[in-house]
Amino acid sequence: MKKQVLFGIALLCSAFLSSAWAATPLQDTTYNAMGPNGEYTLTNKWLYSVTLGNYVAAADKIGTSGFVRGMAVKDGKMLFIDREKKQITVVNGETGLTEAPIVLASNIFTYMGRNKADTADSIWVAGFLPFNDIKSDNAGNVLLGNCIISSAGRFQVWKVNLTDGTGTLVIDQANLKDLFPDATIRFDAFGVYGDVNNDAIIMAQNASAMETYKWTITDGVVAGDPEVIYIDNVTAGTYLTGKGNPGTAPQVFPVDENYYYLDGNETYPTLIDMDGNVIDGFYNNPDALKDSTTMQDKIFTMNKGHNGLAEFQVGEEYFVVMAATNTVGTPPSSFRLFKFADANKAFTGLDCLWTFPMKGMGGSSNAYRTAMPAVEVNGNTAKIYVYTGENGYGMYEFKVTRSGKPEISLQPVTVSVKGNTLKLSETVANLNIYNVTGQLIGKFANVSSVEAPGKGVFVVKATTLHGETAVQKVIVK
């Protein structure tokens, strides 16, 4: 009887300790409203971090150290790819609580090949590190990528069915060594733009050279072998000048068919076109690397080391959030939210709003450099989800208001630049395009978009169907 009572007490204590062991999400500090009238606000909804002390024990972590290197977001759920458990770990974006994982099919990141004795077919694992990255495309398809460490590696990207964990092979590139015999190749991550079920591009940055590899998808089918984009590291005056490679575990973020961001361990985020020309970056505005707004008595300076970036739009305003500091920066493992001056999204017009978390997420070693933001926008609110490898994850709510009312455009119609196309926020009766000297170079009627007359600075004058007039300067890069 005595042994049974003691055993029962032990079980009860064990159950209590295991339920109490895992930490609960906490909240970061309060952030001052920004903007001339306090129209921009940032609120932390919940946070796990080394700094807060609730991302320290093994039970607190999203996975075993080193095995969870990617995060994406879909429909308010944070999706973490776990290489050890071969699953997608799901976190409720509103609460920070973990939900049931998505167990992945056993054939994902495998292929059929001959055994070493060449006597029979065998199943092989594709790549050096399978289940290494996760991204979602513009249509909400969730994709997984592996890591290869040489041109002999087999690079794969899979599309995942989140209902049952099955996968569809999108890219299966096994002949990189034959295509590029002189190349030294390592892919840690990938980026995607478009809809892989229709038209899209998938890109992977070579960690060993200033080369970006691009696959084009048309009508849901990959159009042959990848194209290599050789990045200009020769032209003087950019932060890529003279660099032989972008550093450890670089990330690539295509923003449309014409441009993409590169962010590596040895680079700041840099905008590049599909010909490899460096278009924009902090080299055009080095003062933007310093933040004197988050804390009135302290300046936070961005450094290199962590890789991650996401552009987004709220109303007619444009923003970008990116990894700001690495584990030895101040604060350690932080992000920074910037506002662009206008739809041209030039770095010269960057305005720093906040560095967050204000005390950083932590200084635990993050050798794979993941510091991934992802954003979902609804009305005047953007939910910003962040994950820094080995240091934590959380969700912030960013709101844009004017005197307590949703942000609205002061112009009756606005113009945005998408590649070589000028897109209007509505159909207009008349549209005139002028060069910087005031010469009329384009005239249109009843249009909602037109092709730009070329690259450069233009003044667009639009007359709405109601007779209102708007004038806007645009830059076509």
Side-chain angles (χ1 to χ4, degrees), residues 422 431-435 439-442 444 450 453 458-460:
L422 305 181
L431 180 73
N432 293 340
I433 302 175
Y434 303 85
N435 62 20
Q439 179 184 3
L440 178 65
I441 55 176
F444 308 89
V450 298
F458 305 98
V459 176
V460 178

Side-chain angles (χ1 to χ4, degrees), residues 12 111 118 121 165 180 186 256 319 352 435 468 472:
L12 181 62
Y111 65 96
D118 196 22
D121 288 338
F180 312 105
R186 177 177 176 131
D256 56 28
F319 305 89
C352 174
N435 62 20
E468 299 174 295
Q472 183 177 328

Side-chain angles (χ1 to χ4, degrees), residues 132-151:
N132 205 56
D133 195 21
I134 182 170
K135 296 289 194 304
S136 59
D137 70 12
N138 298 73
N141 297 300
V142 175
L143 308 173
L144 306 178
N146 63 352
C147 166
I148 63 170
I149 59 173
S150 76
S151 59

Side-chain angles (χ1 to χ4, degrees), residues 95-131:
T95 65
L97 300 179
T98 303
E99 299 185 352
I102 300 165
V103 179
L104 298 167
S106 61
N107 69 314
I108 295 178
F109 294 117
T110 66
Y111 65 96
M112 188 67 71
R114 300 295 288 176
N115 63 19
K116 291 183 178 180
D118 196 22
T119 58
D121 288 338
S122 295
I123 296 176
W124 296 80
V125 175
F128 179 68
L129 298 176
F131 308 98

Side-chain angles (χ1 to χ4, degrees), residues 327-346:
T327 56
V328 298
T330 303
S333 303
S334 67
F335 295 83
R336 186 168 297 176
L337 178 59
F338 292 95
K339 179 183 181 297
F340 287 111
D342 52 38
N344 297 304
K345 296 184 282 189

